[in-house]
Amino acid sequence: MKQFCDYEGSTYRADFWEGQGREYEDRVERAALHSLLPAKGRRLLELGSGYGRLADLYAGCQHVILSDRAFSQIKQARDRLGGDPCFTFIVADAYALPFVAGAMDQVVSVRVLHHLVDVPAAFAEIARVLSRGGTYVTEFASKRHLKAIARYLLNRQPPITVGSQRANPFSPDPYEFAALNFDFHPRWIERALQQAGLKVEARRAVSHFRVTSLKRLVPLGLLVAADRALQRAGAVWPWTPSLFIRARKP
Ligand SMILES: C[S@@+](CC[C@H](N)C(=O)[O-])C[C@H]1O[C@@H](n2cnc3c(N)ncnc32)[C@H](O)[C@@H]1O
């Protein structure tokens, strides 16, 4: 079994989303996901859905499967959304999805890849369960973001917590900045998708203004609108900490 980041019993929702002033991140991620998701679909799988933060965005889909490795996260999702017959809740590992080949029209994963030790294996599994023509929308943490580049150029890097890597934002290899928390180079992710047989067709750069002082000073609506306006163009040479990609199984 591969190592995994254990969210069992975690207070992720309360601690990360509700107590930390991350409304900006939540709103800009929703905007990116909304712009990349096909308007309609038959069957959508969200992998690593947690408590179902993004579930309302799947309203255009007939059947939505929320899955996560942590039972307690899926239980929270079911407590929130279980009354809606469109949803099914499944405890499942990204490396061994309990579905037959070609079962899904859409797969989504947001804030999950950064916990995976073996992204290529997860991509292979996602490609297997996708139908022909099906889409995979994913978010990942980029190592080539503006703060990391500035720190690197000024030689002001945070202390290394895992291994002996120097945080070089331009090197292609994943960077494990804390145990089971990885930042990825955009090209590395795209190559891994390609190797899994998934063709990248759209990109979004997200969270341009993830800076505490900016978030404090600038009205939220304005910051969100500015980020949305930049998401598409910013993806040409992205320098944001979060990137979204839509890939298709040809
Ligand atoms: C940071 S949370 C993101 C939750 C949700 N996608 C969101 O954006 O709010 C990461 C989630 O990925 C799940 N996860 C981590 N490793 C996994 C794996 N190998 N298979 C399935 N889920 C996994 C965790 O249990 C956790 O719920």
Side-chain angles (χ1 to χ4, degrees), residues 4-5 7 12 17 29 46-51 53-54 68-70 73 92-95 110-112 114-116:
F4 63 95
C5 191
Y7 275 66
Y12 171 65
W17 288 111
E29 288 173 20
E46 184 180 347
L47 216 129
S49 65
Y51 63 90
R53 173 174 68 101
L54 303 165
D68 200 284
R69 204 181 192 294
Q73 292 297 314
D93 192 333
Y95 302 114
V110 177
R111 290 182 176 261
V112 177
H114 71 282
H115 287 319
L116 300 185

Side-chain angles (χ1 to χ4, degrees), residues 60-237:
C61 226
Q62 287 168 24
H63 184 194
V64 176
I65 297 145
L66 299 184
S67 75
D68 200 284
R69 204 181 192 294
F71 172 79
S72 56
Q73 292 297 314
I74 280 300
K75 185 172 178 313
Q76 282 182 48
R78 196 185 56 190
D79 291 347
R80 294 179 66 225
L81 306 154
D84 185 335
C86 294
F87 288 104
T88 301
F89 306 89
I90 289 181
V91 175
D93 192 333
Y95 302 114
L97 298 172
F99 307 108
V100 295
M104 303 295 156
D105 305 310
Q106 300 173 36
V107 177
V108 174
S109 65
V110 177
R111 290 182 176 261
V112 177
L113 296 189
H114 71 282
H115 287 319
L116 300 185
V117 285
D118 192 347
V119 167
F123 282 174
E125 191 58 352
I126 289 161
R128 182 186 70 77
V129 301
L130 267 178
S131 59
R132 277 192 211 146
T135 55
Y136 174 40
V137 179
T138 190
E139 183 273 351
F140 64 94
S142 170
K143 66 187 291 194
R144 200 188 58 184
H145 60 86
L146 202 59
K147 258 195 259 176
I149 295 172
R151 272 195 223 118
Y152 180 70
L153 296 178
L154 299 170
N155 215 6
R156 289 268 171 89
Q157 294 177 307
I160 290 159
T161 53
V162 179
S164 58
Q165 297 159 297
R166 187 166 176 249
N168 177 351
F170 304 109
S171 69
D173 44 310
Y175 171 54
E176 190 173 16
F177 60 92
L180 294 170
N181 280 269
F182 299 87
D183 283 345
F184 301 96
H185 194 288
R187 271 206 307 277
W188 188 90
I189 288 286
E190 293 206 11
R191 198 167 311 130
L193 284 167
Q194 227 172 43
Q195 281 165 358
L198 299 170
K199 194 169 180 290
V200 174
E201 61 176 26
R203 304 169 179 85
R204 297 287 185 271
V206 175
S207 274
H208 290 81
F209 308 111
R210 192 186 287 174
V211 178
T212 313
S213 50
L214 264 185
K215 289 201 289 181
R216 223 178 273 142
L217 291 171
V218 183
L220 176 67
L222 196 62
L223 223 49
V224 171
D227 194 88
R228 290 178 69 159
L230 287 171
Q231 287 184 354
R232 195 184 284 252
V236 175
W237 200 93

